[in-house]
């Protein structure tokens, strides 16, 4: 059933099976591929706090055991937010506003966390930015998958490129949380907010491109045709 639904949602005329090398060429020639790669990279760069989250929670001033206990609840809420956002995006066939809303929530959380050392305020922020940041991952990957699925090979390459491109963010993101910036971690939170904003910008750039593509499809279609979701 899932496979049949994906086939129905494919935009454009089905193309003959191609080699993986041909799929790579198709993906690299499509500028939307690179926008999705950048969007996912910026998104996961904004999530670089993941490896340092216990360190951030430690700045609340509690002992080691309490700190580790307090680390868990924000991720439970973030997981629930990810499921809810993915379900809502799929049901509404909408991507851009879901990404914008989720990452905007994350930006608010980053700003609060960087601007206060108050225990209650900072711990509330520790709920806000993971919920916002982690809510959009499945939306981005699903959007890339449905938009660039002209051939199975191209789709496979695009998903690989998007995931690998995103993971690169964790490499340099690790250097944004130096011990010298403790306890405020303004560098890390500020950079994360900037990355989230860049990811939103990529989403809107893709939206503009897909609106133009849909207009071309409508003008050239002789019967009902699938349109890109955005």
């Amino acid at each position: 059933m899932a496979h049949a639904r994906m086939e129905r949602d494919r935009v454009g005329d089905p193309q003959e099976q191609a080699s993986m090398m041909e799929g790579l060429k198709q993906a690299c020639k499509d500028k939307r591929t690179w926008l999705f790669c950048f969007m996912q990279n910026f998104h996961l760069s904004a999530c670089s706090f993941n490896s340092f989250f216990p360190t951030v929670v430690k700045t609340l001033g509690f002992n080691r055991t309490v700190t580790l206990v307090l680390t868990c609840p924000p991720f439970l809420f973030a997981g629930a937010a990810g499921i809810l956002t993915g379900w809502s995006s799929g049901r509404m066939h909408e991507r851009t506003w879901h990404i914008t809303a989720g990452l905007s929530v994350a930006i608010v959380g980053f700003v609060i966390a960087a601007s206060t050392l108050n225990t209650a305020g900072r711990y509330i922020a520790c709920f806000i930015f993971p919920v916002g940041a982690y809510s959009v991952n499945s939306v981005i990957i699903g959007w890339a998958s449905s938009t660039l699925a002209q051939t199975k090979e191209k789709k496979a390459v695009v998903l690989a490129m998007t995931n690998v491109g995103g993971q690169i963010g964790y490499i340099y993101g690790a250097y944004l949380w130096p011990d010298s910036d403790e306890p405020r971690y303004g560098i890390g939170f500020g950079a994360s907010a900037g990355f989230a904003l860049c990811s939103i910008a990529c989403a809107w750039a893709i939206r503009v491109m897909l609106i133009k593509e849909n207009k071309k499809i409508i003008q050239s279609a002789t019967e009902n045709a699938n349109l890109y979701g955005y």
Side-chain angles (χ1 to χ4, degrees):
M1 291 178 64
H3 180 267
R5 177 179 57 79
M6 288 188 290
E7 289 297 313
R8 289 195 304 269
D9 289 343
R10 178 186 295 178
V11 179
D13 296 329
Q15 300 179 20
E16 295 182 0
Q17 184 173 355
S19 66
M20 289 305 299
M21 185 57 66
E22 184 62 30
L24 176 61
K25 292 179 181 178
Q26 293 171 355
C28 291
K29 289 180 180 179
D30 195 327
K31 54 189 175 184
R32 296 171 300 182
T33 300
W34 301 105
L35 274 174
F36 276 113
C37 288
F38 279 120
M39 178 164 58
Q40 181 70 337
N41 175 267
F42 289 135
H43 164 235
L44 293 187
S45 296
C47 294
S48 63
F49 63 83
N50 178 48
S51 300
F52 301 90
F53 195 72
T55 304
V56 173
V57 176
K58 184 181 178 182
T59 63
L60 299 178
F62 297 103
N63 62 42
R64 184 183 185 88
T65 301
V66 174
T67 294
L68 293 176
V69 171
L70 293 178
T71 298
C72 180
F75 284 101
L76 295 178
F77 279 83
I83 294 172
L84 181 61
T85 303
W87 173 83
S88 174
S89 175
R91 185 176 180 83
M92 298 175 65
H93 199 51
E94 200 286 327
R95 313 288 184 253
T96 313
W97 282 109
H98 281 78
I99 293 172
T100 301
L103 292 180
S104 293
V105 169
I107 291 173
V108 171
F110 292 136
V111 171
I112 294 174
S115 61
T116 182
L117 294 177
N118 175 269
T119 300
R122 178 160 266 210
Y123 191 54
I124 290 174
C126 286
F127 277 85
I128 296 174
F129 63 76
V131 165
Y134 284 115
S135 67
V136 304
N137 188 63
S138 62
V139 179
I140 295 174
I141 295 298
W143 194 12
S145 175
S146 62
T147 300
L148 301 169
Q150 285 70 42
T151 66
K152 295 178 181 178
E153 292 74 20
K154 179 181 179 181
K155 178 179 178 179
V157 172
V158 167
L159 288 177
M161 291 176 64
T162 303
N163 279 298
V164 172
Q167 295 300 320
I168 292 174
Y170 284 125
I171 298 175
Y172 55 78
Y175 296 93
L176 299 175
W177 305 85
D179 292 338
S180 59
D181 203 28
E182 187 181 357
R184 193 171 293 275
Y185 291 108
I187 297 174
F189 286 125
S192 294
F195 287 135
L197 188 61
C198 289
S199 188
I200 292 173
C202 288
W204 281 91
I206 294 172
R207 180 188 178 94
V208 170
M209 294 173 64
L210 295 184
I211 289 175
K212 293 180 179 179
E213 289 291 330
N214 282 348
K215 289 180 179 179
K216 293 179 181 179
I217 293 173
I218 293 173
Q219 291 173 355
S220 61
T222 56
E223 56 184 23
N224 292 335
N226 288 339
L227 300 177
Y228 290 108
Y230 50 79

